[in-house]
Amino acid sequence: MTVVLKNVGKIFAARQKEPLTAIDDISASISRGEFLCILGPSGCGKTTLLRMIGGLDHPTSGEIIVEGTPVTGPDPRLAMIFQEYSLYPWRTVRANVGFGLQMRGIAVPEREEIVNRFIRLVGLEGFGDSYPYELSGGMRQRVAVARALATDPAVLLMDEPFGALDAQTRNRMQKELLLIWEKTKKTVIFVTHSVDEAVYLADRIIVLSPRPGQIAGTYDVDIPRPRDRTSIEFATLRRDVLELIDRLDERQ
């Protein structure tokens, strides 16, 4: 599913203060099945942009089009995964994964089949009856991924989903996410502030400038997968992106 941004801007009104321009004139096109990473410093509008794509917020100017249809609100074709997991603590893994299906009125036998399939896909067999408090951070995030995938969205919107994890778990989750993406062929728009994460995951990287967020650079990542973080190609691209970010910081 293609996602097109046309001159998207976002201004927040503030009481007794000047209006705050978070996003300014962003245009981009994300192809069906592409893994896009949006990279930038804290406060540059990454999350705001992702929320607008998902229909959770609205542009002040411009428009966002998903498969030819303007985004005017939440759309079942797009699923958002947050850093904070957003699981229901009183529901088991199985009940969390099946929540969206239940809300759509999917019959119990079909719902159970889908839930079991996605629990297997994210490697949580044997944990279906566990509660979120019984799981590690990485396992809880897998539940969030399975819940999003269970409703069969065309686009996954991921807002720094591994930011709260330790480095080892984060690296493992990145590998597992790529395996899931390769199996499902979903379009993924992934927000991060980690250059290493973006280079490891993405087909393409968009770098946003400090506020107001504008596209400061775009990088096609032509490094074959699975990617070796110690390779010359990886280190070269990582350096190039970091140099751009350093130049942007100097302009502030």
Side-chain angles (χ1 to χ4, degrees):
M1 179 171 290
T2 57
V3 178
V4 178
L5 313 178
K6 292 185 175 181
N7 308 110
V8 173
K10 180 64 177 180
I11 299 174
F12 290 101
R15 289 185 180 179
Q16 301 176 346
K17 294 181 180 179
E18 289 293 320
L20 176 67
T21 302
I23 295 289
D24 183 31
D25 194 29
I26 287 183
S27 296
S29 180
I30 300 96
S31 301
R32 183 183 289 109
E34 181 177 6
F35 199 125
L36 176 78
C37 279
I38 300 175
L39 182 66
S42 296
C44 73
K46 302 185 300 296
T47 295
T48 297
L49 183 61
L50 201 69
R51 287 177 59 84
M52 290 192 294
I53 295 171
L56 303 179
D57 205 343
H58 303 286
T60 308
S61 58
E63 62 180 342
I64 299 169
I65 300 170
V66 175
E67 205 71 3
T69 304
V71 174
T72 58
D75 188 321
R77 296 175 299 173
L78 295 88
M80 195 154 181
I81 301 173
F82 302 93
Q83 179 176 334
E84 299 82 9
Y85 316 124
S86 302
L87 302 180
Y88 298 111
W90 60 89
R91 297 176 72 103
T92 64
V93 166
R94 196 181 308 281
N96 266 288
V97 173
F99 178 76
L101 300 170
Q102 182 181 356
M103 292 299 98
R104 293 186 183 184
I106 303 299
V108 172
E110 182 182 357
R111 188 165 77 228
E112 289 181 349
E113 179 183 345
I114 295 170
V115 166
N116 289 334
R117 182 166 78 247
F118 284 101
I119 285 177
R120 287 194 302 271
L121 182 66
V122 299
L124 286 175
E125 302 98 322
F127 292 93
D129 296 321
S130 299
Y131 289 88
Y133 74 89
E134 299 176 298
L135 307 177
S136 68
M139 294 170 76
R140 289 195 294 270
Q141 198 57 288
R142 288 191 214 176
V143 177
V145 171
R147 183 176 62 184
L149 290 172
T151 58
D152 195 28
V155 181
L156 281 181
L157 306 173
M158 308 187 76
D159 187 12
E160 299 194 44
F162 309 143
L165 304 178
D166 63 83
Q168 184 176 356
T169 303
R170 184 171 186 159
N171 287 350
R172 185 167 64 249
M173 287 299 300
Q174 290 167 2
K175 292 177 182 178
E176 292 180 0
L177 175 61
L178 286 177
L179 290 174
I180 292 169
W181 170 70
E182 288 168 358
K183 289 177 182 177
T184 62
K185 307 301 182 184
K186 304 292 184 187
T187 303
V188 177
I189 304 176
F190 188 105
V191 160
T192 181
H193 63 266
S194 167
V195 175
D196 182 271
E197 184 167 66
V199 174
Y200 186 78
L201 292 174
D203 291 322
R204 183 163 54 111
I205 299 168
I206 288 177
V207 180
L208 298 187
S209 64
R211 191 170 56 232
Q214 297 177 306
I215 295 179
T218 301
Y219 298 85
D220 292 319
V221 186
D222 297 323
I223 306 170
R225 295 185 176 96
R227 291 173 183 162
D228 180 357
R229 299 176 200 264
T230 65
S231 71
I232 293 175
E233 295 85 357
F234 193 101
T236 299
L237 180 55
R238 183 176 180 275
R239 181 199 63 206
D240 291 347
V241 176
L242 282 170
E243 286 178 350
L244 172 60
I245 292 173
D246 287 342
R247 291 196 300 271
L248 293 171
D249 288 341
E250 290 171 0
R251 294 180 192 173
Q252 287 187 284

